[in-house]
């Protein structure tokens, strides 16, 4: 569920109240990748809306540029004699590819804080000029196959590139393409694959493990590590952080680092504005992000939240009420929507 959620493009706005659906979400259409198609989709059926683009082998979640007039995504497609295309730079308004960037191999994580940064399957980080589509630099930083999707604050892109038994390495990309790496003293559990959670608000990035949360200021590169009931799935909520794992779902106030509330039935977390959707153990729950008040409960397993809808394959649920409003075809790879910071994340400013 986690990887499915992290590859989605959402165009929805603030909730009018904790129990209401975002006003903009009433007419919005999800933008991103469903199976092997990129574009906008009907929010009740996930039927592609014209124009759309075939995308045979998607890899990294689409991500907006700071002004949200362009986006970049990772893929693998036939290229030239120099190798395969690994990155698209796209005009989302026209759903048109502006640049096909030949990286030689697929990009598994993409950020777009000004330049485009893409971590390739071979562990190289490439910095791309989005205006021309030209690769400006390459740097070997390494890569682990179980890393989460990259995230962005208002000014930086952050990629988890290495996960070890007792350290996690993150790479920070600034708007001009400068690169910094941080090694975090975080223990991880190997259950076939070492994993961590990764989330970002406007100013901070959070790396989560089963018993620790690392809060990073990517501008100053200051790191604050707190002991907490954590997990390997995370997302930001107003004034805090939602973390989920085998111990359930916990919402932490990131100004005090105290637990706000818990949902012990959830194993993964999805959020949209003031609503937290927990999923796992065959049940989907929606709760008020600030209080934990149960809004509704439904059977199923949620894969994504977008445009006021919860995609709990094959049911499509209304985010405000939990009522089924449609169905969509089975999704065998992933639903990958991109996050619109001006709408989905507009209330998520500095946590203090």
């Amino acid at each position: 569920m986690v990887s499915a959620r992290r590859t989605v493009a959402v165009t929805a706005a603030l909730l009018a109240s904790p129990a209401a659906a975002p006003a903009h979400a009433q007419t919005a259409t999800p933008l991103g990748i469903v199976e092997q198609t990129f574009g906008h989709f009907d929010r009740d059926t996930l039927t592609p809306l014209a124009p759309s683009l075939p995308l045979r082998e998607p890899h990294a979640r689409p991500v907006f540029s700071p002004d949200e007039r362009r986006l970049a995504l990772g893929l693998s497609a036939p290229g030239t004699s120099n190798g395969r295309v690994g990155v698209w730079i796209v005009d989302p308004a026209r759903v048109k590819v502006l640049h096909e960037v030949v990286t030689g191999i697929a990009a598994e994580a993409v950020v777009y804080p000004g330049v485009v940064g893409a971590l390739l399957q071979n562990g190289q980080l490439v910095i791309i000029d989005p205006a021309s589509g030209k690769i400006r630099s390459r740097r070997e930083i390494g890569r682990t196959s179980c890393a989460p999707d990259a995230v962005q604050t208002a000014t930086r892109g952050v990629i988890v590139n290495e996960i070890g038994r007792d350290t996690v390495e993150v790479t920070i990309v600034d708007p001009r393409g400068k690169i910094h790496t941080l090694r975090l003293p975080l223990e991880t559990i190997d259950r076939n694959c070492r994993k961590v959670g990764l989330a970002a608000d406007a100013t901070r990035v959070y790396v989560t493990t089963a018993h620790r949360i690392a809060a990073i200021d990517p501008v100053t590169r200051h790191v604050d590590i707190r002991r907490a009931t954590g997990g390997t799935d995370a997302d930001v909520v107003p004034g805090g952080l939602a973390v989920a794992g085998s111990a359930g779902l916990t919402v932490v106030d990131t100004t005090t680092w105290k637990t706000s509330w818990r949902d012990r039935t959830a194993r993964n977390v999805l959020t949209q504005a003031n609503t937290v959707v927990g999923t796992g153990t065959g049940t989907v729950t929606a709760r008020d992000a600030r209080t934990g008040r149960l809004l509704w409960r439904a059977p199923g397993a949620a894969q994504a939240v977008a445009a006021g809808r919860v995609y709990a394959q094959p049911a499509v649920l209304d985010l405000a009420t939990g009522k089924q409003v449609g169905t969509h075809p089975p999704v065998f790879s992933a639903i990958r929507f991109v996050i619109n910071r001006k709408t989905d994340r507009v209330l998520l400013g500095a946590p203090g």
Side-chain angles (χ1 to χ4, degrees), residues 62-76:
V63 59
F64 276 123
S65 62
D67 62 7
E68 299 188 356
R69 298 177 61 184
R70 297 287 183 267
L71 61 77
L73 60 89
L75 72 156
S76 181

Side-chain angles (χ1 to χ4, degrees), residues 278-292:
T279 185
T281 64
T283 302
V284 182
T285 58
R287 296 180 183 271
D288 178 86
R290 294 188 184 277
T291 66

Side-chain angles (χ1 to χ4, degrees), residues 303-315:
Q303 289 185 289
V305 176
R309 296 291 185 258
V310 179
Y311 299 99
Q313 178 160 266

Side-chain angles (χ1 to χ4, degrees), residues 119-311:
L119 179 59
L120 308 182
Q121 280 184 339
N122 60 7
Q124 289 185 348
L125 178 68
V126 294
I127 300 298
I128 302 164
D129 177 356
S132 66
K134 302 290 187 183
I135 294 176
R136 288 172 28 180
S137 65
R138 290 178 182 261
R139 177 173 169 179
E140 189 75 33
I141 64 171
R143 173 182 166 267
T144 183
S145 61
C146 293
D149 284 309
V151 296
Q152 289 189 189
T153 65
T155 62
R156 300 291 190 273
V158 179
I159 299 169
V160 172
N161 56 289
E162 293 280 7
I163 305 174
R165 184 178 65 181
D166 53 14
T167 58
V168 176
E169 185 173 278
V170 300
T171 297
I172 300 167
V173 181
D174 82 1
R176 296 185 178 182
K178 289 185 178 179
I179 299 167
H180 301 278
T181 59
L182 295 175
R183 294 185 67 83
L184 310 176
L186 297 173
E187 294 182 0
T188 61
I189 299 172
D190 185 3
R191 293 193 180 103
N192 300 319
C193 191
R194 295 188 185 279
K195 296 181 180 181
V196 298
L198 184 66
D201 59 29
T203 60
R204 289 201 286 187
V205 172
Y206 304 92
V207 180
T208 68
T209 64
H211 305 293
R212 297 285 190 279
I213 297 174
I216 305 167
D217 181 331
V219 177
T220 65
R221 298 187 292 283
H222 173 76
V223 179
D224 184 11
I225 297 179
R226 299 283 178 154
R227 184 171 181 83
T229 300
T232 56
D233 194 17
D235 208 347
V236 287
V237 297
L241 181 70
V243 186
S246 58
L249 187 158
T250 302
V251 171
V252 178
D253 182 329
T254 50
T255 62
T256 64
W257 294 106
K258 293 181 179 179
T259 296
S260 298
W261 54 268
R262 299 179 189 273
D263 178 353
R264 298 190 185 280
T265 66
R267 298 294 179 267
N268 298 104
V269 60
L270 307 162
T271 69
Q272 185 170 6
N274 294 330
T275 303
V276 175
V277 176
T279 185
T281 64
T283 302
V284 182
T285 58
R287 296 180 183 271
D288 178 86
R290 294 188 184 277
T291 66
R293 179 172 63 89
L294 180 67
L295 305 177
W296 52 263
R297 189 188 307 272
Q303 289 185 289
V305 176
R309 296 291 185 258
V310 179
Y311 299 99

Side-chain angles (χ1 to χ4, degrees), residues 15-77:
L15 287 176
S17 66
H24 182 65
Q26 301 302 321
T27 57
T29 56
L31 169 66
I33 302 166
V34 177
E35 291 286 67
Q36 295 176 317
T37 301
F38 172 81
H40 288 273
F41 297 85
D42 182 278
R43 68 177 186 155
D44 292 338
T45 64
L46 289 185
T47 301
L49 304 176
S52 62
L53 297 170
L55 185 58
R56 180 175 297 179
E57 193 177 329
H59 281 256
R61 179 181 66 188
V63 59
F64 276 123
S65 62
D67 62 7
E68 299 188 356
R69 298 177 61 184
R70 297 287 183 267
L71 61 77
L73 60 89
L75 72 156
S76 181

